[in-house]
Amino acid sequence: MPIKPSELILNPDGSIYHLNLKPKDIADTIIFVGDQDRVSQVTKHFDSIYFETQKREFKTQTGLFKGKCITVISTGIGTDNIDIVLNELDALVNIDFGTRTIKKQLKSLNIVRIGTTGAVQKDIPLDSFLISTHALDLVGMLHAYQIETISNSSLEDAFIAHTNWGKNRARPIVVEGSKTLIDKFKSDQTHEGLTVTASGFYGPQGRILRLPISNESLNKNMESFSFGNTKITNLEMETSGIYGLAKLLGHRAISLNAIIANRPNGTFSSNPKATIEKLITHTLERI
């Protein structure tokens, strides 16, 4: 049965609604960045760029890097934007826009996030790189989908007990990244760990400016949490949405994080732009 126009929304030119893209505009390897200005930070290293567009915060450029076709997309901030970007990218490769039906042969994309993050362990140095082996979702967006096959209930239960997680909050969800991509990108320059995805930047990540927060001990509890050999390493705002939706849709995803803050030490990078630039080149060398 065809997907209704209210569900799969196309622009008058046939492009997908938010991203303003047609199937021919994207590569099978896609780099996610949050900031739209960071798209050109990546593509300045390309040999050529043959397509670009922008609608709202979603800026896209597709080109060649050492003969490999790569697309770079800015997602904006938060898992709500990730919900848009990943669903629309999947529609571009796995739904026939002419018939509005799902294709019989499905395609898997390689999705590589290059983002910034704050460490929650004192021994993770500023300006280092971290690969998210797993993501711990504290947002709740993924609960809109059937996630039973991708979550880790044992780790989730341990986190809930350790942090006295409030009953009025969404149940935490743990999702694993792509082992294939993790093996490809890890090096002696990278740390690895469990990344927490929060629903905001200030209170949801334990930052206090003028407003009191509901659980001032949450960050310390995250720092002290362990489950087997697993420890929480960092906080950010997108990875769990990427890992969860990618796994549900059959894509491969990895999150590469530039450590620009250390929360327990109260420190911040003196040159975050340089750290991000180093992570970009590190990523392109392995992609």
Side-chain angles (χ1 to χ4, degrees):
M1 181 178 294
I3 301 170
K4 297 176 182 178
S6 60
E7 314 305 295
L8 174 64
I9 306 171
L10 302 178
N11 297 312
D13 66 353
S15 62
I16 195 79
Y17 184 61
H18 294 93
L19 298 185
N20 205 36
L21 296 171
K22 298 177 182 178
K24 64 182 177 63
D25 299 331
I26 64 169
D28 292 346
T29 296
I30 300 178
I31 295 175
F32 282 3
V33 294
D35 184 354
Q36 56 195 279
D37 292 336
R38 201 173 294 157
V39 172
S40 59
Q41 281 186 266
V42 178
T43 60
K44 72 181 182 182
H45 298 280
F46 284 17
D47 305 316
S48 62
I49 298 169
Y50 64 81
F51 173 81
E52 58 184 311
T53 190
Q54 181 168 0
K55 185 178 181 183
R56 305 182 187 182
E57 63 266 53
F58 308 116
K59 181 177 181 178
T60 302
Q61 291 184 334
T62 299
L64 295 176
F65 176 76
K66 296 183 177 180
K68 184 177 180 64
C69 188
I70 301 172
T71 295
V72 185
I73 297 179
S74 60
T75 62
I77 297 175
T79 58
D80 50 348
N81 276 15
I82 295 301
D83 183 60
I84 291 171
V85 175
L86 252 165
N87 274 290
E88 292 196 358
L89 285 175
D90 180 77
L92 286 166
V93 296
N94 288 322
I95 295 176
D96 184 317
F97 285 6
T99 62
R100 292 181 169 272
T101 57
I102 297 171
K103 295 178 180 179
K104 292 182 179 179
Q105 290 189 330
L106 300 180
K107 178 182 287 189
S108 294
L109 299 169
N110 290 317
I111 298 165
V112 180
R113 173 187 180 266
I114 299 175
T116 57
T117 189
V120 299
Q121 300 293 338
K122 293 179 180 179
D123 61 350
I124 299 178
L126 291 177
D127 305 314
S128 61
F129 306 151
L130 186 139
I131 294 174
S132 305
T133 59
H134 298 71
L136 172 58
D137 182 89
L138 303 185
V139 181
M141 180 274 289
L142 289 172
H143 283 295
Y145 302 96
Q146 296 178 10
I147 57 170
E148 293 78 13
T149 60
I150 65 167
S151 60
N152 185 326
S153 59
S154 297
L155 204 160
E156 293 159 6
D157 289 342
F159 176 82
I160 290 168
H162 184 78
T163 58
N164 296 314
W165 192 249
K167 293 181 179 180
N168 293 328
R169 297 185 176 189
R171 177 183 168 84
I173 307 164
V174 175
V175 188
E176 189 176 9
S178 165
K179 291 182 179 178
T180 300
L181 293 182
I182 290 169
D183 289 341
K184 182 176 183 178
F185 282 92
K186 67 181 180 181
S187 73
D188 56 5
Q189 298 183 58
T190 56
H191 299 265
E192 296 179 18
L194 173 61
T195 295
V196 169
T197 297
S199 59
F201 185 78
Y202 288 97
Q205 292 190 35
R207 290 183 172 92
I208 301 174
L209 300 183
R210 288 203 316 116
L211 292 176
I213 60 176
S214 60
N215 187 351
E216 292 189 17
S217 64
L218 180 58
N219 281 19
K220 283 192 174 296
N221 286 336
M222 286 194 290
E223 182 183 354
S224 61
F225 174 75
S226 64
F227 183 80
N229 295 323
T230 300
K231 286 188 175 182
I232 294 172
T233 49
N234 61 306
L235 273 165
E236 51 76 78
M237 294 178 62
E238 289 84 33
T239 297
S240 68
I242 297 169
Y243 280 13
L245 292 176
K247 195 164 285 286
L248 287 170
L249 291 166
H251 305 296
R252 293 172 290 272
I254 187 173
S255 181
L256 306 173
N257 304 269
I259 304 292
I260 62 170
N262 187 290
R263 300 299 302 283
N265 292 335
T267 53
F268 192 83
S269 172
S270 61
N271 194 347
K273 288 186 178 180
T275 302
I276 295 164
E277 176 64 23
K278 290 177 182 177
L279 180 56
I280 289 169
T281 57
H282 174 88
T283 302
L284 289 174
E285 287 169 0
R286 287 159 178 76
I287 208 163

